[in-house]
Amino acid sequence: MRYINKLWIHITGPTAEFSLETRIFHSLCVIAIFALAYNVPFNYFIGLPLIALISLVAVIIFSFLYYRSRRQRKFNSTFIMFAVTGHVLFIANFIYNSGTYGPTDVLMGLSILLVLCVVPKSQQKPWVAVNILIICLLHYIEYSWPQLIPDTYMNKESRYFDITSGYIVVVIVIYYTVTYLRRNYDHEKRSASDKATSIEQKNHQIVDQNHELERVNTERNKLMSIIAHDLRSPLSNIQNYLEMVTEYELETDERRMVEGDLLKVTRSTIDMLGKLLIWSKAQMDGVNVKLGYVTLRQSLFNTIELERSIALKKDITLISEIDWEVKIVADSDMLQLVIRNLINNAIKFTPHGGQISFKAKHIGRECWLIIRDNGIGISSEKQAELFSLRAASTFGTDNEKGVGLGLLLCKEFTELQGGRIWVESPEGEGTVFYVSMPTGS
């Protein structure tokens, strides 16, 4: 079947090279050649040698027309020659095949159908008029001068055989013509539908790209605002301190107090710059995620110990209740950054003498890392924007300044590792951050 389809496509012409009308014309020529080739021996054996000769001439003519269109690609003039030749042949067939006693009227109806399938739309009405005019004129001649249209049948049986054969040929040609038209119509319909779907998908892609560009522009503007607002203030403090030291002689206690404040500002500024650089690099260059099986000890033990010492400076107790040998699927460096940011936040918003706990729970195919503090909590309004650039920077319990990027980094880096992050925080009752990582088992 596939071979037959390929052969037919080769005969009628590829869709990329020939229009639908031209391919229909090629198929009609081939069908007409076979139908007329059948009529040559058939008409000869029923006693119509002249009609057999006309059929043979028609086979040669249609073969020439097919060659002229398929090989020489002379389409428009060939279509006109096809229409003219078809009508001339049917006129001859009418005259030499018993007029209205033969099958010519039915064949003339077939002729106009085939002509309408191939000629340009602008020529269809004129050819219909020509076809009707020819039939009416031939009928009038036969009615007025019946001797001009002789009965060429040898007997009654040959006439009925000829009419029956002509009808069968007409039905077969109509069937293949309509089938071919329907198949091409369905093909064009599917192609149009596929193109429409493709255009719709591209439109969706363009809309998504526009939304992404809007998001990137919004984030860029937010980033510029952060840099302009949140970094300018600590840098101004450093400048003021240096000017003060240069212009005034400060007492030892005053100098120590100013230096302590300046150290806090400098540390906060370095922390903000670090987060800005990490986030900016991730947005511009993308992030190379290196996932693998790691134990909590390999990935987080040193980070927790470092954060414990930072918490002690604020009289905060950091408790860890963890099975350090639990294996998870993670990028060790990314996970360290996420947990370090979350514990830093907990330290920042927990008052002196407070407590922070770090726990791990194995739940199904996930390991939940839970950071809980008894700090000031987060309002429900702020929770809605907590993991985005819309989150406003806030001050900790010791006036530690945030940049608003830490939790955004945590969310992006957690999801890049195939994990999840969420928060529970009744205002005034502390905060619990959850980081769920796949265990791969």
Side-chain angles (χ1 to χ4, degrees):
M1 190 67 183
R2 184 177 298 177
Y3 173 77
I4 294 175
N5 288 334
K6 287 184 177 180
L7 179 62
W8 187 251
I9 290 173
H10 176 73
I11 291 172
T12 58
T15 57
E17 299 179 26
F18 297 93
S19 66
L20 176 60
E21 290 81 5
T22 305
R23 285 181 278 124
I24 293 172
F25 174 73
H26 293 162
S27 65
L28 294 179
C29 283
V30 173
I31 294 171
I33 289 168
F34 280 101
L36 290 166
Y38 156 78
N39 272 333
V40 172
F42 177 80
N43 283 291
Y44 181 80
F45 284 117
I46 65 172
L48 299 173
L50 186 59
I51 300 303
L53 179 61
I54 293 174
S55 298
L56 179 61
V57 171
V59 169
I60 297 171
I61 292 173
F62 281 112
S63 299
F64 169 73
L65 293 176
Y66 171 79
Y67 174 80
R68 198 169 188 273
S69 175
R70 179 67 176 84
R71 297 300 179 187
Q72 297 183 344
R73 299 174 185 257
K74 297 177 180 179
F75 307 124
N76 294 331
S77 58
T78 304
F79 293 165
I80 295 173
M81 290 172 64
F82 169 78
V84 172
T85 302
H87 282 83
V88 170
L89 289 173
F90 284 121
I91 291 172
N93 193 76
F94 185 90
I95 294 173
Y96 296 105
N97 197 14
S98 305
T100 54
Y101 287 95
T104 309
D105 282 1
V106 178
L107 296 175
M108 281 291 282
L110 175 64
S111 172
I112 191 60
L113 170 65
L114 302 182
V115 168
L116 293 177
C117 287
V118 298
V119 298
K121 188 176 181 181
S122 59
Q123 298 180 18
Q124 289 179 347
K125 289 182 179 179
W127 279 114
V128 169
V130 168
N131 184 271
I132 294 174
L133 180 62
I134 289 173
I135 284 291
C136 292
L137 183 59
L138 290 173
H139 285 189
Y140 177 74
I141 290 172
E142 183 180 0
Y143 176 78
S144 300
W145 300 281
Q147 68 277 11
L148 297 178
I149 313 293
D151 184 358
T152 55
Y153 290 109
M154 293 187 301
N155 50 50
K156 187 176 181 180
E157 288 78 8
S158 63
R159 175 175 178 267
Y160 280 104
F161 275 125
D162 191 28
I163 292 175
T164 303
S165 174
Y167 179 79
I168 292 172
V169 169
V170 168
V171 170
I172 292 174
V173 172
I174 289 176
Y175 168 76
Y176 279 105
T177 302
V178 172
T179 301
Y180 188 78
L181 287 171
R182 182 61 183 267
R183 186 166 62 247
N184 279 274
Y185 169 77
D186 291 340
H187 174 73
E188 297 292 336
K189 186 177 179 181
R190 285 194 302 271
S191 298
S193 177
D194 292 342
K195 288 178 181 178
T197 302
S198 176
I199 291 171
E200 186 176 355
Q201 289 175 348
K202 289 180 179 178
N203 287 337
H204 283 308
Q205 290 176 356
I206 291 171
V207 170
D208 292 341
Q209 289 173 353
N210 287 337
H211 289 161
E212 181 65 16
L213 286 173
E214 290 177 5
R215 184 190 69 79
V216 170
N217 286 333
T218 302
E219 292 183 352
R220 183 195 61 190
N221 294 335
K222 174 69 175 179
L223 183 61
M224 293 302 103
S225 174
I226 289 170
I227 293 173
H229 180 270
D230 291 348
L231 292 183
R232 184 173 181 177
S233 177
L235 291 175
S236 296
N237 288 339
I238 294 172
Q239 180 183 353
N240 292 336
Y241 169 74
L242 294 174
E243 289 175 352
M244 186 184 302
V245 171
T246 302
E247 295 180 13
Y248 303 101
E249 290 291 334
L250 298 178
E251 298 292 334
T252 303
D253 291 341
E254 291 176 337
R255 181 182 293 272
R256 287 177 179 172
M257 183 181 67
V258 172
E259 287 176 348
D261 291 341
L262 182 60
L263 182 59
K264 289 181 182 179
V265 171
T266 304
R267 285 174 176 168
S268 176
T269 305
I270 291 173
D271 179 57
M272 284 191 285
L273 278 173
K275 290 176 182 177
L276 282 169
L277 290 173
I278 293 171
W279 184 82
S280 300
K281 185 176 185 301
Q283 297 302 307
M284 291 187 294
D285 302 333
V287 182
N288 185 20
V289 185
K290 298 178 181 178
L291 294 177
Y293 285 102
V294 294
T295 64
L296 295 181
R297 181 181 299 280
Q298 291 171 325
S299 182
L300 297 176
F301 183 80
N302 292 335
T303 299
I304 298 302
E305 292 304 311
L306 177 62
E307 293 301 319
R308 198 190 308 277
S309 63
I310 295 173
L312 285 174
K313 295 178 181 178
K314 201 174 175 181
D315 297 326
I316 295 173
T317 304
L318 175 57
I319 302 171
S320 56
E321 300 176 13
I322 294 179
D323 178 0
W324 290 105
E325 303 310 315
V326 170
K327 281 189 176 182
I328 60 174
V329 179
D331 181 314
S332 185
D333 293 334
M334 277 191 179
L335 186 61
Q336 286 178 28
L337 184 143
V338 170
I339 299 303
R340 185 166 63 248
N341 270 320
L342 293 176
I343 294 178
N344 277 337
N345 271 358
I347 294 171
K348 185 186 300 182
F349 295 105
T350 299
H352 287 265
Q355 180 175 294
I356 300 170
S357 67
F358 179 55
K359 297 181 180 180
K361 285 186 178 180
H362 197 283
I363 300 177
R365 297 173 65 86
E366 295 179 329
C367 178
W368 289 14
L369 306 176
I370 306 168
I371 297 96
R372 184 188 302 271
D373 65 59
N374 59 354
I376 58 178
I378 306 169
S379 66
S380 56
E381 293 81 7
K382 290 182 179 180
Q383 287 182 42
E385 299 180 342
L386 204 58
F387 297 103
S388 70
L389 268 175
R390 297 189 300 273
S393 56
T394 53
F395 290 91
T397 54
D398 255 5
N399 287 323
E400 303 99 325
K401 185 69 167 65
V403 71
L405 277 178
L407 292 177
L408 175 60
L409 280 171
C410 290
K411 181 177 186 298
E412 290 185 357
F413 282 12
T414 299
E415 291 177 351
L416 284 171
Q417 297 174 86
R420 300 180 294 133
I421 184 171
W422 67 98
V423 64
E424 295 177 0
S425 181
E427 193 169 1
E429 299 180 18
T431 303
V432 185
F433 279 96
Y434 297 85
V435 176
S436 170
M437 299 298 297
T439 60
S441 62

